[in-house]
Amino acid sequence: MSDPMRPPVSPDRPRTASLRTDPSRSRASLRTAVVSEVLQDALDRRVKATGRDALDVLDTGGGSGNFAVPLASLGHRVTVVDPSPNALFALERRAAEAGVAERVKGVQGDAHGLFDVVERGGYDAVLCHGVLEYVDDPAESMRNAVAALRSEGVVSLLAAGLGGAVFARALAGHFTEARQALTDPDGRWGAGDPMPRRFTADQLTALAEGAGLRVSAVHGVRVFADLVPGVLVDTEPAALDALLRLEAAAAELPAFHSVATQLHVLGETPGAAGL
């Protein structure tokens, strides 16, 4: 069934992917399904509002293109900024294999020096996934993300959740580390913690609002997926689909934000909000 809110597909450019994940495809879909659904709906609204066939999307820290390539396959033009040359090489190869190389551009850079490599005010949407955990100044990075938007646009923000890490350490029997993460200002469970910083939903919302965005949605990501033994999903024919549905149902409920491995915040400029 066609969807008038999605970018149209030209005869010589068939849509080859969707951000909405096929539940039967792989267990990896558990990590992106909720974010993909929310993000595609937001972009569909922007397509309808702008009346343009395709949007200009900036993916900061986009790596090898987990989101960029599917977006390009929908017809959008995506610029990926990442500090890793290896990731950008993988992005180029992945885009070529998907047949969307002409709509994906990779540039080496980071959120701090964003406007050394991309223009201000040139994008309809900005993805900031897995970035704020690593930057020196999350508030500055958020302001840069918003400054990259046109007057009306959306920001998709994905970051590590504090509660999920505390919960996981406790379930693994590392109670001292769980308490350390709970009380540490950056949400770290110790010197060996590979994650520099974690957030609560309130902290991420405050960062988005502080940068001038109106928060339209907050979702918990991977509420159950990281806790369910793989054997249960891999051996039961309908288990993956059922777990995906459970994740989707729990994602919007604030009660589950506090135990999610990641948190997703969708922010819109005041002019774009509510469309």
Side-chain angles (χ1 to χ4, degrees), residues 46 146 149-154 209 211-215 267-275:
R46 295 309 308 149
V146 174
L149 290 173
R150 294 185 169 119
S151 58
E152 296 183 357
V154 298
E209 292 176 342
L213 297 173
R214 174 188 175 274
V215 172
E268 301 172 300
T269 59
L275 291 175

Side-chain angles (χ1 to χ4, degrees), residues 1-269:
M1 182 174 65
S2 63
D3 185 342
M5 296 177 67
R6 295 184 187 171
V9 181
S10 63
D12 61 343
R13 192 185 58 179
R15 183 185 295 124
T16 58
S18 172
L19 287 180
R20 295 187 173 95
T21 316
D22 177 1
S24 65
R25 189 171 65 181
S26 71
R27 193 169 187 241
S29 61
L30 289 168
R31 296 180 176 271
T32 60
V34 169
V35 179
S36 297
E37 185 75 21
V38 175
L39 178 58
Q40 187 165 332
D41 285 344
L43 296 183
D44 286 348
R45 293 195 301 271
R46 295 309 308 149
V47 166
K48 182 179 180 180
T50 61
R52 288 187 274 111
D53 291 350
L55 302 177
D56 294 301
V57 180
L58 176 64
D59 188 355
T60 62
S64 62
N66 287 339
F67 284 91
V69 170
L71 281 172
S73 296
L74 290 174
H76 300 303
R77 298 174 292 270
V78 188
T79 299
V80 176
V81 177
D82 197 279
S84 168
N86 290 336
L88 294 175
F89 177 78
L91 168 70
E92 181 179 0
R93 182 176 58 192
R94 188 173 188 172
E97 290 173 350
V100 296
E102 73 281 6
R103 294 193 295 279
V104 176
K105 176 184 177 182
V107 293
Q108 190 171 0
D110 56 33
H112 174 70
L114 187 62
F115 300 115
D116 294 335
V117 294
V118 302
E119 64 176 312
R120 292 178 181 268
Y123 300 91
D124 301 289
V126 175
L127 278 57
C128 189
H129 295 174
V131 172
L132 298 187
E133 299 95 319
Y134 298 95
V135 296
D136 292 332
D137 188 343
E140 178 196 40
S141 295
M142 275 302 307
R143 290 191 296 269
N144 284 348
V146 174
L149 290 173
R150 294 185 169 119
S151 58
E152 296 183 357
V154 298
V155 174
S156 175
L157 176 62
L158 182 67
L162 170 63
V166 173
F167 204 61
R169 301 312 289 177
L171 286 181
H174 304 299
F175 306 122
T176 300
E177 291 179 348
R179 187 175 184 278
Q180 172 68 19
L182 190 61
T183 58
D184 184 79
D186 293 322
R188 304 185 74 238
W189 47 257
D193 191 340
M195 186 65 66
R197 187 185 295 111
R198 295 183 178 88
F199 299 89
T200 65
D202 287 345
Q203 288 171 332
L204 282 183
T205 297
L207 281 169
E209 292 176 342
L213 297 173
R214 174 188 175 274
V215 172
S216 58
V218 180
H219 292 84
V221 179
R222 291 157 58 189
V223 175
F224 305 103
D226 293 346
L227 303 176
V228 175
V231 65
L232 295 180
V233 176
D234 297 336
T235 58
E236 294 293 331
L240 178 60
D241 181 56
L243 184 53
L244 278 166
R245 293 178 184 275
L246 177 61
E247 288 279 351
E252 295 187 31
L253 301 177
F256 290 96
H257 295 170
S258 60
V259 294
T261 299
Q262 293 178 306
L263 295 165
H264 182 246
V265 170
L266 187 73
E268 301 172 300
T269 59

